[in-house]
């Protein structure tokens, strides 16, 4: 029997930390940096500070409070790969680490920036009928149902799926199982509708943190259970969009029939029959006219082959090369009640994982309509759940979580910290009961009664290679300085860096490898700190190391010099004070350093940032052993 409760447990407050390790950091407040249609204006100064306050950002006594902490302990506790919190401080007053939980009673309208004013969006769930919340219990002894690849389903399955979706859309508008009500769940959790239990002034956000995979897994789980209930089939399983394999890299055909309940008119029609670009969501497949026979099909086939190859390298980068630890794959810790603007996982959206920040956002951008300023439905988080294709897309994202834990590497395991495991979300189940689900409930999809159809994983064979070998590039000592010498006069920048239209190259000092045996096997990571942008903007930039090519020919995912990307999908609101996003990016370097034959003795690496869309500032770049 499921247990019920009327109110959440009392939570303790976690003091706020601000740890900044950059050489040059912006003096201007985060909230005042981004003004619509105005350029960046930073006043920078040299700052190396560690601040802590108990609920007050301007606490005059924070310095003396900090003196009771060891900075290394704090970094290892919250900024490191394990996010342990049991030995954060030496102070007798141990800090409480608070899990995230939505405050249902104070749920308000979500808001979306329209460019001039704010659009209010009612995304909160219907009121509880009996004021009870059921604590989720995984099904016992259930039959495993297998979610099929969308491009492989047969007619009988499609009939059943369309019938279930049609019935969901036909439910009364105030039924929490209604399609729009289900779509609103995603809106509420990512556009400011919920505050955190115990912290009414703190908004809850499930993106750009370690909450991303657990939330979306359970969101799809209950959506799927509702569909099964509506057609009387408890074993029904939703399809997944197999965009990581060549045969599934176009929008699945079953979602393209305008007369089907699976169709959504708010999509980019130009992308309906072309291959997805998993790096940035922009299709590069163009049919070129030939004077003699119309379209040059050979050119289109060549473009498709290049796109497929690029996508496979992207997947290898995001699943193998850059995702060797939980903090790299899942993202950074997100703790309840934090308001400080730091890079240690305290504020909402501290840092997304490789798939969330990569292929996940690219597919959203690829599907979303081109009409500005919203790019609905998939092109904006508030409206993404309104497209039935969203659930197939996130089915594949969820599948990546399953695959990741099967790949080689002793660190490819989920977090075991209670602050993560006890974070929770609220959903309506197939019987219209509100259910509280904790992260610990959803670590294994088979425990929930489902798995994925077995299909080929071709990207496992797509290891990137260096662009070319030449003296001083990609091999030998002091190659970083050699590259810098050829680019120094044009590309060296001070922090903060404003990245908009021109590629930036900058030399980054490498720290000495830790001697401590416990740290000796840690991943060397490129850390981009204090990335600031308007959360309503679509942003993309790529990152490579020791690349000496011309700016007109930047690195691609198939090149060993390419180490990753940063992306943002519009999901903000200007009605609230937090109109900007401040986050971080971690890019593991060990494989790239090995592929490029860069020895540990090399003291510098040249980092290249290539803007592809939008405008962003970067407060600091460093290399550390943190994942």
């Amino acid at each position: 029997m499921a247990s019920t409760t009327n109110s959440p447990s009392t939570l303790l407050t976690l003091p706020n930390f601000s740890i900044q390790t950059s050489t040059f950091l912006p003096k201007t407040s985060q909230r005042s940096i981004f003004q619509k249609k105005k350029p960046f204006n930073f006043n920078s100064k040299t700052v190396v500070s560690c601040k802590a306050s108990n609920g007050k950002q301007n606490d005059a006594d924070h310095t003396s409070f900090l003196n009771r902490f060891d900075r290394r302990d704090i970094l290892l506790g919250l900024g490191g790969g394990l996010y342990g919190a049991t030995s954060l401080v030496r102070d007798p007053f141990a800090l409480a680490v608070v899990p995230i939980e939505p405050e249902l009673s104070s749920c308000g309208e979500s808001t979306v920036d329209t460019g001039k004013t704010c659009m209010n969006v009612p995304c909160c769930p219907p009121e509880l009928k009996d004021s009870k919340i059921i604590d989720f219990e995984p099904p016992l002894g259930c039959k495993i149902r297998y979610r099929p690849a969308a491009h492989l389903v047969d007619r009988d399955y499609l009939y059943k799926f369309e019938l279930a979706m049609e019935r969901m859309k036909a439910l009364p508008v105030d039924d929490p199982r209604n399609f729009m009500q289900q779509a609103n769940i995603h809106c509420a959790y990512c556009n400011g509708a919920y505050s955190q239990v115990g912290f009414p002034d703190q908004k809850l956000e499930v993106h750009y943190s370690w909450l991303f995979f657990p939330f979306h897994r359970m969101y799809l789980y209950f959506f799927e259970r509702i569909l099964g209930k509506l057609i009387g089939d408890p074993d029904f399983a939703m399809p997944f969009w197999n965009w990581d394999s060549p045969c599934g890299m176009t929008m699945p055909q079953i979602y393209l029939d305008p007369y089907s309940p699976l169709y959504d008119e708010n999509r980019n029609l130009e992308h309906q029959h072309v291959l997805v670009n998993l790096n940035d969501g922009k299709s590069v497949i163009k049919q070129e006219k030939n004077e003699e026979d119309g379209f040059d099909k050979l050119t289109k086939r060549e473009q498709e082959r290049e796109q497929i190859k690029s996508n496979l390298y992207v997947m290898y980068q995001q699943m193998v090369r850059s995702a060797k630890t939980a903090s790299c794959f899942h993202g950074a810790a997100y703790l309840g009640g934090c308001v400080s603007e730091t890079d240690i996982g305290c504020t909402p959206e501290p840092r997304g994982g490789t798939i969330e920040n990569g292929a996940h956002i690219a597919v959203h951008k690829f599907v979303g309509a081109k009409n500005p300023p919203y790019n609905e439905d998939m092109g904006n988080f508030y409206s993404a759940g309104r497209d039935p294709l969203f659930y197939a897309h996130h089915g594949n994202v969820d599948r990546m979580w399953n695959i990741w834990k099967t790949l080689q590497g002793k660190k490819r395991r989920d977090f075991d910290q209670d602050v993560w495991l006890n974070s929770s979300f609220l959903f309506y189940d197939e019987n219209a009961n509100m259910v509280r689900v904790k992260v610990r409930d959803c670590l294994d999809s088979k425990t929930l009664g489902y798995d994925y159809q077995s299909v080929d994983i071709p990207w496992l064979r797509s290891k990137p290679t260096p662009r070319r070998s030449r003296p001083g590039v990609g091999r030998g000592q002091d190659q970083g300085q050699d590259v810098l010498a050829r680019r120094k006069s044009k590309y060296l920048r001070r922090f903060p860096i404003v990245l908009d239209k021109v590629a930036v190259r900058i030399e980054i000092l490498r720290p000495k490898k830790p001697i401590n045996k416990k740290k000796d096997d840690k991943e060397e990571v490129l850390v981009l700190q204090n990335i600031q942008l308007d959360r309503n903007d679509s942003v993309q930039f790529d990152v490579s190391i020791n690349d000496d090519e011309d700016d007109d020919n930047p690195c691609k995912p198939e090149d060993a010099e390419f180490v990753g990307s940063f992306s943002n999908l519009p999901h903000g609101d200007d009605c609230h004070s937090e109109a900007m996003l401040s986050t971080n990016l971690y890019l593991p370097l060990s494989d790239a350093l090995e592929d490029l034959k860069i020895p540990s003795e090399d003291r510098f690496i040249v980092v290249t940032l290539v803007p592809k869309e939008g405008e962003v500032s970067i407060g600091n770049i460093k290399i550390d052993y943190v994942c």
Side-chain angles (χ1 to χ4, degrees):
M1 295 291 292
S3 60
T4 61
T5 181
N6 294 326
S7 62
S9 59
T10 302
L11 300 178
L12 298 177
T13 304
L14 176 69
N16 302 317
F17 292 93
S18 179
I19 298 178
Q20 299 172 318
T21 57
S22 62
T23 304
F24 298 95
L25 291 179
K27 181 178 180 181
T28 308
S29 168
Q30 285 191 9
R31 297 181 183 179
S32 63
I33 290 174
F34 283 83
Q35 302 294 334
K36 285 291 182 180
K37 308 303 181 184
K38 293 183 179 180
F40 290 91
N41 182 18
F42 286 97
N43 293 319
S44 61
K45 63 179 181 179
T46 302
V47 176
V48 179
S49 66
C50 300
K51 298 183 291 183
S53 62
N54 190 10
K56 299 178 182 179
Q57 288 198 354
N58 297 318
D59 189 351
D61 192 41
H62 71 265
T63 303
S64 61
F65 181 73
L66 175 66
N67 290 337
R68 300 198 299 269
F69 294 78
D70 182 270
R71 180 176 178 277
R72 177 176 168 274
D73 287 344
I74 296 174
L75 287 175
L76 290 178
L78 285 177
L82 295 180
Y83 295 102
T86 57
S87 60
L88 268 178
V89 297
R90 298 170 183 172
D91 189 89
F93 299 98
L95 299 181
V97 178
V98 183
I100 298 292
E101 184 174 359
E103 178 57 76
L104 180 64
S105 63
S106 63
C107 185
E109 288 186 327
S110 295
T111 52
V112 180
D113 177 35
T114 64
K116 296 181 179 179
T117 60
C118 282
M119 176 177 66
N120 293 323
V121 184
C123 291
C124 291
E127 294 184 4
L128 285 172
K129 295 180 180 180
D130 55 7
S131 300
K132 291 184 178 180
I133 299 175
I134 299 174
D135 288 322
F136 178 76
E137 293 183 1
L140 298 176
C142 58
K143 175 183 176 182
I144 300 296
R145 56 189 186 276
Y146 288 89
R147 293 178 176 174
H151 67 283
L152 297 177
V153 302
D154 57 28
R155 289 186 178 181
D156 291 340
Y157 175 90
L158 179 58
Y159 171 79
K160 185 184 296 186
F161 184 30
E162 288 183 331
L163 178 62
M165 188 67 72
E166 184 176 5
R167 290 179 176 177
M168 179 182 277
K169 291 184 174 182
L171 289 171
V173 293
D174 60 347
D175 189 320
R177 300 167 300 177
N178 171 276
F179 179 77
M180 276 300 296
Q181 291 287 358
Q182 288 294 303
N184 285 342
I185 292 174
H186 193 261
C187 171
Y189 276 93
C190 63
N191 273 73
Y194 283 119
S195 62
Q196 301 173 21
V197 167
F199 308 99
D201 295 331
Q202 299 306 308
K203 296 298 179 182
L204 189 154
E205 168 63 71
V206 297
H207 294 94
Y208 292 103
S209 79
W210 63 2
L211 297 183
F212 172 77
F213 277 99
F215 167 80
H216 287 89
R217 167 165 287 183
M218 295 312 297
Y219 179 25
L220 265 64
Y221 172 85
F222 285 109
F223 190 92
E224 182 177 73
R225 301 304 291 164
I226 293 171
L227 291 177
K229 176 81 171 183
L230 292 173
I231 57 176
D233 183 1
D235 296 327
F236 178 77
M238 289 191 302
F240 66 94
W241 178 4
N242 189 201
W243 36 252
D244 62 304
S245 181
C247 53
M249 287 182 181
T250 57
M251 293 187 201
Q253 190 64 36
I254 63 174
Y255 292 88
L256 303 183
D257 180 2
Y259 300 100
S260 168
L262 305 179
Y263 184 76
D264 181 30
E265 61 181 9
N266 289 327
R267 293 180 189 154
N268 189 332
L269 299 181
E270 295 179 4
H271 288 172
Q272 280 199 346
H273 301 286
V274 299
L275 295 172
V276 63
N277 182 336
L278 294 180
N279 186 45
D280 59 21
K282 295 182 178 180
S283 174
V284 297
I285 309 299
K286 298 180 180 179
Q287 291 181 320
E288 299 181 2
K289 288 186 176 181
N290 185 296
E291 295 181 357
E292 297 181 359
D293 56 0
F295 291 109
D296 188 343
K297 296 181 180 179
L298 179 61
T299 300
K300 184 173 184 292
R301 285 199 299 270
E302 290 176 343
Q303 290 175 347
E304 289 176 338
R305 284 194 293 268
E306 288 300 310
Q307 185 62 73
I308 289 172
K309 182 176 71 171
S310 176
N311 285 343
L312 297 179
Y313 282 113
V314 167
M315 292 306 303
Y316 186 93
Q317 177 77 38
Q318 296 173 11
M319 288 290 292
V320 181
R321 246 180 150 210
S322 298
K324 294 182 178 180
T325 66
S327 63
C328 292
F329 177 75
H330 281 284
Y334 175 24
L335 309 176
C338 292
V339 296
S340 64
E341 298 170 347
T342 75
D343 63 345
I344 59 171
C346 194
T347 186
E349 303 161 319
R351 173 172 52 83
T354 52
I355 286 294
E356 178 192 359
N357 196 46
H360 157 251
I361 289 181
V363 174
H364 271 281
K365 290 181 177 181
F366 180 80
V367 177
K370 295 175 64 176
N371 55 306
Y374 312 118
N375 301 111
E376 289 99 339
D377 280 330
M378 279 273 282
N380 199 304
F381 280 157
Y382 95 90
S383 56
R386 300 177 184 181
D387 189 341
L389 189 52
F390 168 90
Y391 303 92
H393 166 43
H394 269 276
N396 205 42
V397 171
D398 181 69
R399 173 173 162 260
M400 293 302 113
W401 187 4
N402 280 6
I403 294 174
W404 174 73
K405 288 189 281 190
T406 69
L407 302 179
Q408 291 183 350
K410 61 182 180 180
K411 296 181 181 179
R412 295 182 191 273
R413 58 182 184 272
D414 295 324
F415 299 102
D416 59 5
Q417 282 69 35
D418 285 341
V419 67
W420 183 62
L421 297 171
N422 290 331
S423 291
S424 62
F425 319 101
L426 299 174
F427 301 97
Y428 275 101
D429 68 10
E430 65 269 28
N431 298 313
N433 298 312
M434 179 164 280
V435 182
R436 178 186 292 111
V437 183
K438 292 185 176 181
V439 170
R440 64 172 68 250
D441 297 326
C442 63
L443 302 182
D444 186 349
S445 70
K446 290 185 178 179
T447 301
L448 298 173
Y450 77 88
D451 202 350
Y452 290 91
Q453 178 182 3
S454 179
V455 293
D456 187 30
I457 309 177
W459 44 264
L460 288 174
R461 305 181 291 273
S462 297
K463 184 177 181 179
T465 56
R467 301 182 78 174
R468 55 172 148 172
S469 297
R470 68 165 79 150
V473 177
R475 60 182 69 246
Q477 293 187 1
D478 298 324
Q479 57 146 356
Q481 294 177 336
D482 183 52
V483 174
L484 179 66
R486 292 191 292 273
R487 293 291 185 180
K488 184 175 181 178
S489 61
K490 186 176 181 181
Y491 290 101
L492 185 61
R493 295 290 190 274
R494 291 164 59 93
F495 292 107
I497 294 172
V498 177
L499 193 63
D500 47 14
K501 297 179 180 179
V502 180
V504 172
R505 285 183 174 87
I506 188 164
E507 182 184 48
I508 304 298
L509 176 68
R510 298 173 70 187
K512 293 182 179 180
K513 192 172 184 180
I515 300 177
N516 190 318
K517 292 183 179 180
K518 293 183 179 180
K519 298 181 184 179
D520 195 50
D521 62 345
K522 282 201 169 187
E523 181 80 8
E524 188 170 355
V525 176
L526 183 68
V527 182
L528 281 71
Q529 296 176 302
N530 211 13
I531 300 172
Q532 300 181 24
L533 61 145
D534 189 319
R535 67 176 65 244
N536 302 295
D537 289 346
S538 182
V539 170
Q540 168 89 18
F541 66 83
D542 293 342
V543 185
S544 59
I545 63 170
N546 285 44
D547 174 36
D548 193 34
E549 293 293 333
D550 295 332
D551 292 337
D552 293 336
N553 185 28
C555 272
K556 298 178 181 179
E558 54 264 37
D559 302 317
E561 293 85 350
F562 184 95
V563 294
S565 301
F566 174 85
S567 299
N568 179 60
L569 193 73
H571 64 292
D573 58 277
D574 245 0
C575 295
H576 299 144
S577 58
E578 297 294 337
M580 64 165 297
L581 184 152
S582 181
T583 188
N584 307 280
L585 180 65
Y586 280 15
L587 298 172
L589 298 178
S590 297
D591 283 6
L593 296 173
E594 181 179 350
D595 294 340
L596 297 174
K597 296 181 172 59
I598 300 176
S600 58
E601 293 78 14
D602 276 14
R603 302 299 299 129
F604 297 94
I605 287 178
V606 175
V607 176
T608 302
L609 309 175
V610 181
K612 304 188 77 173
E613 184 178 17
E615 184 172 319
V616 62
S617 79
I618 301 170
N620 186 46
I621 302 176
K622 66 176 183 177
I623 297 173
D624 206 349
Y625 291 86
V626 293
C627 275

